[in-house]
Amino acid sequence: MGFLSKLFGKKDKPPRPSAPVAHTWHVTSVTRETPSSISFEVDATMDFKPGQFVLLRPNTELPWRAYSFSRAPGRPLRLTVKRVPDGVVSTYLTTQLKVGDALEVKGPYGQFVLPAVVQRALFIAGGSGITPFLSILQQFEAANWPVPVTLLDFNRAQPEQILRAELDALVASSGGKLELVHVLDDAGGPCSAAVLEKLLEGRPAPDLVGMCGPQPMMDLARDFTQQRYGGVTILEEKFSMSHDEGGSGASYSVEFVQGGKSQRFEVKDGEHVLAAARKQGVNLSAGCEMGACGVCRVRLLDGKIHVPDDACLSDGEKEDGYALVCVGTAKSNCRIEPAP
Ligand SMILES: Cc1cc2nc3c(=O)[nH]c(=O)nc-3n(C[C@H](O)[C@H](O)[C@H](O)COP(=O)(O)OP(=O)(O)OC[C@H]3O[C@@H](n4cnc5c(N)ncnc54)[C@H](O)[C@@H]3O)c2cc1C
Ligand code: FES
């Protein structure tokens, strides 16, 4: 087992929790980080790996959402939330959360966990996508910086830079091992292939690229790093994604079987199965809704559902007939049941 595996866990995907247990956490502090973001601490402990997240909901009226730990394990648990325009849960958390509030929490989840052996890392963060990197970098600091890291931290504007002072303190403690480049939309950014090319010019090639942020930035950064550093290991965590609401062309029938009953709904080609089920009043379990937690896993009794490679479903699970409905698209008529 390599040195980093002791810190971060093995390269294999973490074992899937068969039945996620819900915990109740109480908020012990709320700190405003920027005009649109807060951090909060809770009275609980949880065993997690740097880079992982939990699903939480502030009350049963609100949907579950995923939030990454913004601190390394072994310290008071902290999550950091940025409000997205018209966002149901992030608006609630950033405007109404207060000390003493109870939160329903499930987890930890996630495969945004460093592999056992890394020689040099490049991290690319967009907005609130900085949170899992803080957890990872604090773990590096605790281990006396075993790996050189370049972190590109993209933000719209200076007042919206999350936990900037904490990041700068990490740079100061790293003895040159952590190089941090803040990029603002109006000063060097926004993120594009040309901007990445310029920022990375003359810097040594990494063997690991970790990226976290909204989907458009991730798509761009993945294409760029794959081209520039062919064969590099890429770790991704999407904080937002474009759900294809419409779909087009062929339409398939999906039968959802549960407890001796069955319900049918139609899914268009390209449409996510979960979105189609919801529109037609069929209630399928879901958590992060971005292919990251596995809560929406179903077993295929018949038919085919395509799940993208970057979702948290292993090849073995695909071969055993499992699918994720939040990011999965039907490729034939299907029969599905909740995964055991
Ligand atoms: C694994 C994982 C970890 C995450 N960790 C964090 C974290 O540490 N901190 C954090 O602030 N967020 C994090 N997120 C994002 C978070 O889960 C929610 O998606 C986000 O807070 C928006 O939820 P909402 O209910 O407020 O918005 P919704 O009501 O779901 O969405 C409202 C609108 O905003 C768009 N939207 C949704 N999310 C985003 C986004 N991130 N950026 C831009 N537009 C968006 C939607 O498409 C929709 O149009 C994480 C997401 C994942 C999948
Ligand atoms: S809801 Fe999280 S993977 Fe589908």
Side-chain angles (χ1 to χ4, degrees):
M1 189 185 282
F3 173 69
L4 284 176
S5 64
K6 293 189 186 117
L7 284 176
F8 294 101
K10 287 193 250 176
K11 185 172 182 178
D12 299 343
K13 294 188 174 184
R16 186 177 297 289
S18 48
V21 182
H23 310 267
T24 304
W25 287 356
H26 290 95
V27 176
T28 53
S29 76
V30 179
T31 307
R32 180 141 304 275
E33 300 290 356
T34 71
S36 68
S37 66
I38 55 134
S39 291
F40 63 91
E41 294 177 314
V42 293
D43 63 352
T45 56
M46 184 174 263
D47 196 14
F48 70 96
K49 297 191 179 77
Q52 286 194 305
F53 66 93
V54 287
L55 292 173
L56 69 79
R57 59 178 178 181
N59 58 56
T60 52
E61 310 285 300
L62 290 171
W64 293 95
R65 291 286 180 262
Y67 293 100
S68 306
F69 291 101
S70 61
R71 266 198 194 131
R75 306 178 187 200
L77 295 183
R78 182 182 70 182
L79 303 175
T80 301
V81 180
K82 180 172 181 188
R83 186 173 63 78
V84 307
D86 304 323
V88 180
V89 177
S90 62
T91 301
Y92 181 94
L93 291 171
T94 53
T95 58
Q96 298 193 44
L97 193 71
K98 56 185 188 319
V99 171
D101 281 358
L103 300 168
E104 220 182 323
V105 176
K106 288 192 265 187
Y109 300 101
Q111 293 158 18
F112 194 68
V113 173
L114 295 202
V117 180
V118 180
Q119 307 294 334
R120 172 175 287 278
L122 167 65
F123 293 157
I124 304 176
S128 57
I130 195 66
T131 50
F133 291 122
L134 270 156
S135 184
I136 291 169
L137 291 172
Q138 286 181 354
Q139 194 80 345
F140 275 135
E141 183 187 39
N144 207 14
W145 298 99
V147 173
V149 180
T150 299
L151 167 61
L152 308 182
D153 180 26
F154 285 90
N155 282 282
R156 288 221 165 92
Q158 200 268 332
E160 281 305 336
Q161 284 184 287
I162 294 173
L163 296 164
R164 177 171 178 152
E166 220 166 276
L167 286 167
D168 291 341
L170 281 167
V171 175
S173 85
S174 75
K177 285 289 187 73
L178 172 61
E179 182 192 23
L180 171 57
V181 187
H182 296 292
V183 195
L184 303 175
D185 278 9
D186 58 1
C191 186
S192 69
V195 165
L196 288 172
E197 183 73 53
K198 201 167 152 199
L199 289 170
L200 296 171
E201 199 179 355
R203 291 194 157 87
D207 62 333
L208 174 99
V209 180
M211 50 183 81
C212 182
Q215 182 171 22
M217 190 203 89
M218 304 267 292
D219 290 345
L220 200 149
R222 186 193 323 105
D223 290 351
F224 175 85
T225 46
Q226 268 170 349
Q227 267 191 7
R228 186 180 172 101
Y229 309 117
V232 70
T233 301
I234 296 182
L235 263 186
E236 303 180 48
E237 189 85 293
K238 280 186 210 126
F239 272 18
S240 76
M241 67 182 287
S242 340
H243 282 286
D244 186 341
E245 293 296 334
S248 59
S251 179
Y252 302 110
S253 168
V254 178
E255 184 183 357
F256 176 54
V257 184
Q258 187 177 29
K261 292 187 184 149
S262 88
Q263 291 169 283
R264 276 182 192 280
F265 57 96
E266 297 296 307
V267 187
K268 292 190 191 129
D269 196 16
E271 187 179 25
H272 292 138
V273 175
L274 177 67
R278 277 203 182 131
K279 274 187 227 161
Q280 293 161 71
V282 178
N283 185 22
L284 303 182
S285 292
C288 68
E289 302 187 20
M290 296 193 204
C293 70
V295 170
C296 69
R297 209 167 55 124
V298 295
R299 185 152 62 183
L300 274 159
L301 302 170
D302 201 8
K304 180 162 172 49
I305 292 179
H306 169 74
V307 176
D309 286 343
D310 60 0
C312 70
L313 200 65
S314 67
D315 291 343
E317 285 174 302
K318 284 183 188 170
E319 278 159 27
D320 290 345
Y322 290 97
L324 301 177
V325 290
C326 68
V327 291
T329 48
K331 294 296 162 202
S332 69
N333 293 336
C334 301
R335 283 179 75 227
I336 57 175
E337 66 175 8

